[in-house]
Amino acid sequence: MPCATLHCIVHLLSREMLEAQFPAVASIKFSQPGDPQHYTLGAMIIWVTLPYAIWQLSYHFLITVRKRSKIAAGNPTSFTFLRKSYAKNPLGKFVLSCPDSLQEPVFMCIQYIYALLTMVPCPIWFWYRWASAAFMMVVFAWASWNGATYYIDVFGRRMEKELNALRNEVQRMTRSPSLEATSNIGSPVGSPAGPSGNDGSADATTTALDLGPPASQGEKGEVRPTGEGSAAAAIGRQTAGGEDVKTK
């Protein structure tokens, strides 16, 4: 992190270590206002502007000019991306209001002005330790806030979407007729007679605890079960008759 590195080198190291390890920083920090090494804000802006101008012009000729056909075919650059992203921004509207031939130079000038605005406070961080420490506290607090809100916004919303999808799935399965028919299997409500009787009519007198159809009277007053129960009773009588024969 550049600001943390600057703060540690300039403000936390002793003069002896600065002179041994970082002589350029020591010559600037311990110079007098009239010395050539005592850089002012104007001198710092000039020294920073020179490499910035070399980089910006090189980028313009190597990317924007030489690869203009690829850019026109749809390959994005920082200029085309920002022009679309900030089209509704006042600054973006100002750039788009310029002629097409001037939009790229205007964009580069705006970038340079922005770089100058970020350079202006740098001498304050360099010459004053407490100002640099306050700036560091603001940077770390801002970074912590961005990290915390990122986890809440991204992962919190993702979990909320998953919970909503799970809730909708449960509601869909609850309303499904096939699931309701499956859930009745093995319960007293789903018995052969059922709560509405064996024939399914609502006027039947059977209940959910009925396990089969009612029994009927035989010729000599013998109680004979009907339906599946009659087969079970017949098997039982044959078994009992066989045991009597063996006993005799």
Side-chain angles (χ1 to χ4, degrees):
M1 192 175 183
C3 55
T5 304
L6 176 67
H7 181 83
C8 293
I9 293 176
V10 176
H11 301 294
L12 300 182
L13 298 181
S14 62
R15 181 169 183 172
E16 292 76 12
M17 185 173 290
L18 282 177
E19 292 176 350
Q21 300 295 331
F22 306 98
V25 177
S27 64
I28 297 173
K29 181 177 180 180
F30 300 106
S31 62
Q32 299 300 321
D35 296 341
Q37 296 85 4
H38 193 84
Y39 293 103
T40 60
L41 178 60
M44 290 183 179
I45 290 177
I46 292 174
W47 281 107
V48 173
T49 300
L50 182 62
Y52 179 84
I54 294 174
W55 168 80
Q56 187 67 70
L57 293 175
S58 300
Y59 178 85
H60 175 69
F61 287 108
L62 294 176
I63 303 298
T64 308
V65 176
R66 292 184 58 184
K67 299 183 178 181
R68 189 175 298 275
S69 59
K70 295 183 178 180
I71 296 174
N75 293 333
T77 62
S78 59
F79 170 68
T80 57
F81 173 77
L82 293 175
R83 184 172 60 179
K84 293 180 180 179
S85 301
Y86 295 90
K88 298 181 180 180
N89 189 282
L91 195 60
K93 292 180 179 179
F94 171 73
V95 174
L96 294 176
S97 64
C98 300
D100 293 340
S101 59
L102 297 179
Q103 287 184 4
E104 293 178 357
V106 169
F107 174 72
M108 290 188 292
C109 291
I110 292 174
Q111 278 191 323
Y112 177 67
I113 294 172
Y114 175 77
L116 288 181
L117 292 177
T118 59
M119 297 175 197
V120 169
C122 290
I124 301 175
W125 317 144
F126 186 88
W127 294 113
Y128 303 99
R129 177 177 179 177
W130 297 110
S132 178
F135 174 69
M136 291 289 298
M137 293 175 63
V138 172
V139 170
F140 281 115
W142 199 344
S144 301
W145 174 263
N146 288 338
T149 53
Y150 174 81
Y151 280 101
I152 294 175
D153 293 341
V154 176
F155 294 102
R157 291 179 181 176
R158 184 181 302 173
M159 182 177 294
E160 183 180 0
K161 291 180 180 179
E162 293 178 355
L163 291 176
N164 291 334
L166 180 61
R167 185 183 297 108
N168 295 333
E169 182 68 16
V170 171
Q171 293 177 356
R172 185 187 65 80
M173 295 178 63
T174 303
R175 293 192 298 265
S176 177
S178 59
L179 184 63
E180 292 178 357
T182 307
S183 63
N184 288 333
I185 297 177
S187 66
V189 179
S191 62
S196 300
N198 191 37
D199 57 352
S201 61
D203 297 334
T205 58
T206 56
T207 64
L209 298 178
D210 292 334
L211 300 179
S216 61
Q217 294 289 338
E219 296 178 356
K220 298 181 180 180
E222 182 183 0
V223 177
R224 295 180 181 178
T226 59
E228 296 179 357
S230 61
I235 295 173
R237 286 196 301 271
Q238 292 177 4
T239 304
E243 292 178 355
D244 293 341
V245 172
K246 292 180 180 179
T247 303
K248 294 178 180 178

